[in-house]
Amino acid sequence: MTELLPLATYCFVMSSTPGPNNVMLTASGANFGYRGSLPHVLGISVGGAIQTFVTCLGLGTLFVTYPVLHSALRVAGALYLLVLAWKLTGGVVIKSSDMPRPLSFTQGALFQAVNPKSWVKAVTLAAVFMPAGMGVASGALIVAAVGLAVAFPCISAWALFGVAIRRFLTDPRRQRLFNGIMAGALAVLALMFLR
């Protein structure tokens, strides 16, 4: 059986470090609170676990065999991040009538399909951490379950960070500035995916 500590450590590092999911969750926490962001948090967690499970079953080999798929994924992910950045700049003040809605569970889960960082995590988990001497489906389930258990609190922390800074964003100018910075961070990530 795979060593759980190295697996959990890798999942912790990948789930805790900045990336598209965590930037979006910080902005969501600041704009909608943790309760409003929870479907997004759950969607990312479950979507990442499904992605890991399917990748451990063999989808990752497609990226190795057909590198053009990885390139297409990077472009699609970058374009989606630019759309999200553009939408985020529209969230100017904390008024329910003016504010865009937080991402849903489904949107959070489906975003993992175009999130290059999520694919890197899933492919690495499949290549490095699949248990030896165990059935492929059982091993994939263990790796995905550990990833899910570690990811949920890690990405929740980013949404809670957004909640913590929310009180400083009651001034519409500061909130506009914050949303602009978060949108800029998403745009920079999008450009990095295109390198």
Side-chain angles (χ1 to χ4, degrees):
M1 174 139 169
T2 187
E3 291 291 329
L4 291 180
L5 184 59
L7 169 61
T9 301
Y10 176 76
C11 290
F12 175 80
V13 169
M14 290 301 285
S15 298
S16 298
T17 54
N21 287 328
N22 294 335
V23 171
M24 290 188 302
L25 286 174
T26 300
S28 184
N31 288 299
F32 307 110
Y34 186 75
R35 178 177 275 168
S37 302
L38 188 56
H40 187 187
V41 170
L42 291 169
I44 290 169
S45 299
V46 172
I50 291 169
Q51 180 182 43
T52 297
F53 180 76
V54 171
T55 302
C56 287
L57 291 179
L59 184 60
T61 58
L62 283 175
F63 290 123
V64 174
T65 306
Y66 302 104
V68 71
L69 291 176
H70 190 258
S71 297
L73 169 73
R74 290 167 61 113
V75 170
L79 292 175
Y80 187 67
L81 285 177
L82 290 173
V83 168
L84 289 174
W86 180 75
K87 284 185 173 186
L88 185 58
T89 60
V92 176
V93 291
I94 303 176
K95 292 181 185 173
S96 58
S97 61
D98 295 338
M99 191 61 114
R101 294 175 38 224
L103 290 183
S104 68
F105 174 89
T106 304
Q107 290 169 319
L110 290 176
F111 177 66
Q112 303 323 294
V114 295
N115 182 351
K117 183 179 177 188
S118 291
W119 279 111
V120 167
K121 178 183 174 185
V123 170
T124 301
L125 287 170
V128 176
F129 295 103
M130 276 293 285
M134 183 180 279
V136 174
S138 299
L141 188 59
I142 288 171
V143 171
V146 170
L148 174 65
V150 172
F152 180 79
C154 292
I155 64 175
S156 286
W158 284 87
L160 290 169
F161 171 68
V163 172
I165 63 172
R166 186 178 191 169
R167 67 174 178 233
F168 299 109
L169 303 176
T170 55
D171 178 343
R173 288 173 293 173
R174 283 187 274 183
Q175 188 180 15
R176 252 192 313 276
L177 177 62
F178 173 77
N179 285 341
I181 290 169
M182 293 293 101
L186 287 176
V188 167
L189 286 169
L191 294 176
M192 289 174 63
F193 290 158
L194 295 175
R195 287 191 303 158

